[in-house]
Amino acid sequence: GAVVSQHPSRVICKSGTSVKIECRSLDFQATTMFWYRQFPKQSLMLMATSNEGSKATYEQGVEKDKFLINHASLTLSTLTVTSAHPEDSSFYICSALGGTTHNEQFFGPGTRLTVL
Amino acid sequence: AQSVAQPEDQVNVAEGNPLTVKCTYSVSGNPYLFWYVQYPNRGLQFLLKYITGDNLVKGSYGFEAEFNKSQTSFHLKKPSALVSDSALYFCAVRAYSGGGADGLTFGKGTHLIIQP
């Protein structure tokens, strides 16, 4: 149980285009999902908290107009990188809050974004 | 603000020897502490967590960690290392905020290398 999937696993796009990444909780409902970003050989940095049915909460320094988050249902959150640039190339990982005590995050496998 | 320190970029251990990966944290209030492992180009795999209760927590793959409140530490340990334990290990913390759902703050990660 408690499986989180991400799609796509890898995407390459041209500079200026937009890319959508999906995060799904497969066997549980998640009112809260999180989006992290990981640069090569660095730690994960929390970008935003996604709550079903409400606006996402962004961490300081994260541009909400560039990284659009939509949590349309209890099992799906999407991250859209708008007008992508090479510096947006990174490993994006989502997690979903679940479990019986709702204090454990289950992580997706990550999406490797490369912007040319 | 909460923070996590993993003072070692890399830990080298001979197969069969005990291993320790260090982690210290800073948080207001009671901490939720986690250890995750990451293999190349993969998402995070949960190892163990401390929420409350016994200070010694046992987790997946024979790993354990000891919560030390006075030293604000949560070191990861294993009695006998395997070559397959070689990976990147992250310590993470979340403050208990009375029901709020907060993202995790991660340490920078420690590369664990088990030598045959």
Side-chain angles (χ1 to χ4, degrees):
Chain A
V3 178
V4 176
S5 69
Q6 280 184 242
H7 178 79
S9 59
R10 186 181 298 266
V11 57
I12 300 172
C13 69
K14 293 182 179 180
S15 185
T17 62
S18 294
V19 174
K20 179 185 285 187
I21 303 170
E22 294 185 348
C23 176
R24 294 181 185 272
S25 56
L26 297 184
D27 49 4
F28 66 102
Q29 293 183 332
T31 56
T32 302
M33 291 183 173
F34 302 93
W35 286 96
Y36 295 85
R37 182 174 182 178
Q38 184 180 28
F39 290 103
K41 299 184 179 181
Q42 294 190 29
S43 188
L44 284 77
M45 299 297 294
L46 178 65
M47 297 175 65
T49 302
S50 170
N51 295 297
E52 188 268 338
S54 64
K55 291 183 178 180
T57 304
Y58 291 82
E59 295 299 299
Q60 192 172 11
V62 178
E63 298 177 60
K64 62 179 181 180
D65 294 330
K66 180 168 187 64
F67 298 100
L68 300 179
I69 291 172
N70 183 25
H71 196 151
S73 76
L74 289 172
T75 59
L76 173 64
S77 175
T78 60
L79 169 68
T80 301
V81 183
T82 62
S83 186
H85 291 284
E87 57 265 30
D88 298 325
S89 299
S90 190
F91 195 50
Y92 292 88
I93 304 176
C94 74
S95 70
L97 195 65
T100 55
T101 54
H102 297 279
N103 55 35
E104 185 173 339
Q105 292 185 27
F106 300 94
F107 285 83
T111 297
R112 173 75 60 191
L113 170 63
T114 302
V115 184
L116 302 176
Chain B
Q2 53 200 38
S3 64
V4 176
Q6 291 181 243
E8 302 152 319
D9 289 336
Q10 183 170 306
V11 171
N12 295 284
V13 177
E15 186 177 23
N17 283 0
L19 68 88
T20 298
V21 183
K22 295 180 180 178
C23 170
T24 58
Y25 66 90
S26 173
V27 68
S28 299
N30 295 320
Y32 289 176
L33 293 157
F34 303 82
W35 275 101
Y36 291 89
V37 59
Q38 185 180 34
Y39 294 96
N41 295 313
R42 302 284 295 278
L44 300 182
Q45 293 181 30
F46 170 79
L47 282 179
L48 51 79
K49 66 181 177 183
Y50 171 82
I51 304 299
T52 186
D54 290 340
N55 290 342
L56 183 63
V57 178
K58 294 187 182 298
S60 307
Y61 313 118
F63 284 94
E64 59 186 31
E66 185 166 12
F67 171 63
N68 187 318
K69 189 173 183 178
S70 63
Q71 296 184 5
T72 61
S73 67
F74 190 57
H75 301 330
L76 180 70
K77 299 182 179 183
K78 187 173 182 179
S80 178
L82 300 173
V83 172
S84 57
D85 293 330
S86 299
L88 181 59
Y89 290 79
F90 289 102
C91 180
V93 68
R94 174 165 82 86
Y96 175 69
S97 56
D102 302 323
L104 295 173
T105 298
F106 285 86
K108 63 178 182 173
T110 298
H111 285 275
L112 177 62
I113 299 175
I114 309 301
Q115 295 152 335

